[in-house]
Amino acid sequence: MLNKLRHSARLFVTGGDWANALPAESRHNLYRYWFDGLFAAASDTVPINYLTLYLLAVGASGAQVGWFSALSSLAAALALLPGAFIVEKYGRRKEFTVIFGGLLARIMLLAMALAPFPASGQPLIWLVITLGVIRSAAGNLAFPAWMSLTGDIVPMQGRGRYFGSRNFVMVIAGIVVTYLMGEFITRVGSPQGYQLALGLSFLTGMVSTYFFWRIQDSAGQQPVQSALKLSLTEVWQDFHSSPLFFQFCIAMAVWNLSLNIAGPFFNVYMAQDLGFTAAMIGLAAIAANVTRVLTQRKMGELADRWGAGRLQMVSMFLVPVLPILWLFAGQLWHVLIINSFAGIFWGAFELASFNFLLVFMPENRRARYSAIFQVVVTIALAGGAALGSALIDFSWGYDWIFILSSIGRFTAAFMFLALLRKTRAG
């Protein structure tokens, strides 16, 4: 009986029996990476859902929340290429990821929780913003190493099913922690509830770091290339050698700029304009996670069957509808319906886009290509958040921000459709 349970658990973790033919160490890496994802999701859901509310609780304005998002994205962009070149020159992908993404970035969560003790007023607001920006920079400095290692941990033939399972449990963790923390923060009060939630996020993140540290990375101990230079010329040569990758980056730049015109402000809108509590905002986030978890495994199967590109295309034409729906939201049940659709659409997009991105990357330059892509994305996110903040400062109102975001998303979807047709023709 115990052996059957263990066998079933292993099949669930890997997304099926496709991993049985892999060497024992490769299977162990899949298990460790799965648990890393579980605890990382439990940790990350606190800053994802409640960090902007924490800023509001310590006195930040809606525009300051937007500038925080813009600065975080800009810091990420500045960190990505150095991270890629360091990994390519020195190797040590696992160690690099753990030091910056697993330790430094998560220590910033604890520092933000403790920030109200030495500061108050505007200094406190900017201290929390600064710590959040450092967190973003540290995590993205480690991103190229993490991306490169991920491509080696999970073989191509089972990526859709494996990430379907891994994403499934990550969403479950997000649902549970989001609900518990929302109720906890509402009951404890502000800002103490947010501080304790960030402290718990730090502790959970350390468990994730432990599992990632146990992954064996024998292939990534040595440099990928021996002589690399951090220069715009080499970045342009990478674009020139892969025009489809260049077009993909442009489409995703338009997509992410459009997303972040509105993205940082949904929680602000719920808290300030709709009057929602932390628990209510947590329930809104849970609605998206519930529908995502109910459809995630199916999305993994569709990604393997249809191809990641086709699934991403469909999701990109559905996501732009969401900001328009926010124009009609006035009560909690309205937001629950909108976010239920969002969970399905975004679950498909995130799974497909991750797999589709790996297609463009040469194995020996995966760290660099992932960094270039993330630089483009994060600069676009910074631009979108800055534009949204400026529009708020000019008193445009949230309705116009939502409309502009939707138009930009549809534009990017048509750009991706054109790229996908070229990919198939080639």
Side-chain angles (χ1 to χ4, degrees):
M1 184 65 178
L2 184 60
N3 288 334
K4 287 183 178 180
L5 289 175
R6 288 177 178 172
H7 179 68
S8 298
R10 289 169 181 167
L11 289 179
F12 175 73
V13 168
T14 58
D17 58 3
W18 66 272
N20 291 342
L22 298 177
E25 190 56 56
S26 296
R27 295 197 304 273
H28 292 157
N29 278 346
L30 291 176
Y31 304 147
R32 294 160 185 157
Y33 189 57
W34 190 88
F35 280 103
D36 158 67
L38 168 64
F39 287 99
S43 173
D44 291 343
T45 194
V46 173
I48 287 172
N49 291 304
Y50 299 115
L51 185 53
T52 56
L53 301 181
Y54 180 43
L55 277 169
L56 295 176
V58 297
S61 66
Q64 283 177 312
V65 170
W67 289 116
F68 165 62
S69 178
L71 291 172
S72 296
S73 297
L74 182 60
L78 294 174
L80 283 162
L81 278 179
F85 283 94
I86 289 171
V87 169
E88 290 187 356
K89 186 172 183 179
Y90 298 107
R92 301 289 179 181
R93 299 179 298 184
K94 183 182 76 173
E95 291 83 354
F96 197 71
T97 302
V98 167
I99 290 171
F100 289 96
L103 294 176
L104 180 58
R106 284 167 175 156
I107 288 172
M108 292 302 102
L109 293 170
L110 182 60
M112 283 189 281
L114 300 176
F117 290 106
S120 61
Q122 288 296 314
L124 171 59
I125 294 169
W126 287 107
L127 175 59
V128 173
I129 288 175
T130 300
L131 293 171
V133 170
I134 294 172
R135 173 178 173 267
S136 177
N140 283 278
L141 190 65
F143 177 81
W146 175 85
M147 186 74 169
S148 177
L149 182 55
T150 293
D152 289 341
I153 292 173
V154 188
M156 178 67 77
Q157 69 268 24
R159 278 180 185 160
R161 285 164 286 176
Y162 177 78
F163 281 113
S165 174
R166 187 174 184 268
N167 291 353
F168 175 87
V169 75
M170 289 175 71
V171 172
I172 290 293
I175 290 172
V176 173
V177 175
T178 299
Y179 173 75
L180 293 177
M181 289 299 102
E183 289 290 342
F184 178 78
I185 292 167
T186 301
R187 291 173 184 270
V188 172
S190 175
Q192 294 83 1
Y194 294 106
Q195 292 176 265
L196 291 172
L198 287 169
L200 292 172
S201 175
F202 163 74
L203 294 175
T204 311
M206 288 299 99
V207 179
S208 168
T209 299
Y210 165 76
F211 279 106
F212 194 89
W213 176 253
R214 293 189 62 199
I215 292 173
Q216 298 300 312
D217 181 26
S218 57
Q221 301 304 308
Q222 301 301 320
V224 177
Q225 297 184 13
S226 57
L228 292 170
K229 297 178 181 179
L230 182 60
S231 69
L232 293 177
T233 300
E234 288 207 4
V235 172
W236 175 251
Q237 288 175 351
D238 286 323
F239 276 137
H240 185 71
S241 64
S242 180
L244 289 178
F245 177 67
F246 177 73
Q247 293 175 50
F248 180 66
C249 287
I250 295 300
M252 290 300 100
V254 175
W255 176 258
N256 283 280
L257 185 146
S258 303
L259 291 178
N260 238 28
I261 291 173
F265 306 107
F266 287 118
N267 280 1
V268 178
Y269 179 66
M270 285 188 282
Q272 293 186 336
D273 285 39
L274 301 183
F276 289 3
T277 65
M280 295 169 71
I281 294 173
L283 286 175
I286 288 172
N289 286 334
V290 167
T291 53
R292 183 178 304 183
V293 77
L294 293 175
T295 58
Q296 192 64 204
R297 290 179 67 85
K298 184 63 177 180
M299 294 303 170
E301 294 175 8
L302 289 177
D304 287 338
R305 188 184 310 161
W306 288 2
R310 182 181 296 177
L311 183 60
Q312 181 171 340
M313 178 194 68
V314 172
S315 64
M316 287 182 71
F317 277 99
L318 293 173
V319 168
V321 177
L322 298 172
I324 299 299
L325 296 179
W326 277 89
L327 299 176
F328 307 98
Q331 299 181 34
L332 178 59
W333 69 270
H334 298 157
V335 177
L336 294 178
I337 292 175
I338 295 170
N339 279 6
S340 295
F341 284 111
I344 299 172
F345 301 163
W346 277 112
F349 175 83
E350 290 166 0
L351 179 64
S353 62
F354 183 80
N355 289 342
F356 192 68
L357 177 60
L358 292 173
V359 172
F360 287 108
M361 297 182 183
E363 290 188 8
N364 65 332
R365 306 196 100 186
R366 192 177 285 137
R368 174 182 292 202
Y369 271 60
S370 66
I372 292 172
F373 175 75
Q374 285 300 120
V375 166
V376 172
V377 167
T378 51
I379 289 177
L381 290 172
L387 178 57
S389 297
L391 293 176
I392 290 176
D393 283 335
F394 286 115
S395 302
W396 270 45
Y398 292 109
D399 287 356
W400 284 107
I401 289 175
F402 297 157
I403 292 170
L404 186 60
S405 178
S406 180
I407 293 172
R409 297 179 196 199
F410 273 120
T411 302
F414 280 107
M415 293 172 67
F416 181 79
L417 176 60
L419 170 64
L420 192 60
R421 287 173 175 172
K422 289 183 180 180
T423 304
R424 290 175 181 171

